[in-house]
Amino acid sequence: RASHGGEVDPISVQIAGADPAMMAEAARHNVDRGAQIIDINMGCPAKKVCSKWAGSALMQDEKLAIAIVDAALMIESGGYKRFDKLIVVWCEPELQLQRLMARDGISEEVAEARIAAQLPQDEKKRYADLLIDTSKGYEDTRRQTTEIFRQLK
C-alpha cells in the first residue's frame, strides 16, 4: 500500500519473498508508511508456499533468517526462550535515566520509578548471549551492532 493512514493500531503488514535485501526494503517501505508490525511468516510448511520461495523457504538457508525483535519484557515474560540468541542492549544507569527523561519528557522521580519497576540491567545481561553497550554513543553502538550481525551471519 502507498499508506497505512487511517488504519486501526497496531498496523501489521505481512511480507514474503526469498531475497533478503528486497524483503528488508519492503519492511522499511511499510514502516515508513505507518506499519508498526512486520510479519515474516517463517514457519509455514505449506508446499505451495515453500516451492515458490516465499516465507518459510528462507529457512532453507538459516543464514538468511536473522530477525530482530524489540520487546520490552522479553526476559520477564520468558519470551526469550523462543529465540536462538538473545542480544541485550544496555547503557550505564545514569545515562539510562537521562535518556528516559529526555525521550519521554518526564521527571527524574517518574523515570526512576519506571526503571525500578523493570528487571535490573545487570540481571538482563546475565541472560544475554550477546551485549551491545550504547553508553559511548552512536558510532560505537553501530560498530558493535555491525560486528554482532557479522557473527550471526
Side-chain angles (χ1 to χ4, degrees):
R1 290 187 180 165
S3 171
H4 300 292
E7 293 184 29
V8 178
D9 285 348
I11 300 167
S12 178
V13 173
Q14 186 174 64
I15 61 174
D19 181 339
M22 187 178 281
M23 291 177 70
E25 179 57 32
R28 279 191 293 275
H29 172 86
N30 280 283
V31 167
D32 289 347
R33 284 153 184 80
Q36 297 160 301
I37 299 169
I38 303 296
D39 175 19
I40 304 171
N41 187 344
M42 302 291 272
C44 178
K47 187 171 184 167
K48 71 178 186 178
V49 173
C50 289
S51 67
K52 296 187 188 291
W53 277 89
S56 64
L58 285 175
M59 292 303 288
Q60 292 177 10
D61 184 350
E62 289 182 4
K63 291 180 182 178
L64 297 177
I66 295 174
I68 299 171
V69 177
D70 179 5
L73 299 173
M74 179 69 69
I75 295 168
E76 294 87 337
S77 69
Y80 72 95
K81 296 174 186 174
R82 298 179 302 160
F83 299 95
D84 294 326
K85 299 281 183 197
L86 177 65
I87 303 169
V88 171
V89 180
W90 69 282
C91 65
E92 294 298 328
E94 276 302 311
L95 188 53
Q96 178 188 23
L97 180 65
Q98 294 302 315
R99 287 177 177 172
L100 178 57
M101 290 168 32
R103 185 192 73 199
D104 292 358
I106 57 177
S107 70
E108 185 170 344
E109 181 181 23
V110 171
E112 286 174 341
R114 280 193 194 170
I115 291 169
Q118 300 173 9
L119 192 64
Q121 288 192 102
D122 286 339
E123 181 68 19
K124 289 178 185 177
K125 290 178 350 186
R126 284 183 254 207
Y127 286 85
D129 297 296
L130 302 159
L131 293 167
I132 297 176
D133 177 1
T134 65
S135 300
K136 295 180 183 173
Y138 177 80
E139 289 304 321
D140 189 59
T141 300
R142 184 176 178 87
R143 179 192 58 74
Q144 293 173 70
T145 304
T146 301
E147 178 57 34
I148 286 175
F149 182 75
R150 285 188 187 123
Q151 289 176 34
L152 294 174
K153 285 178 92 175

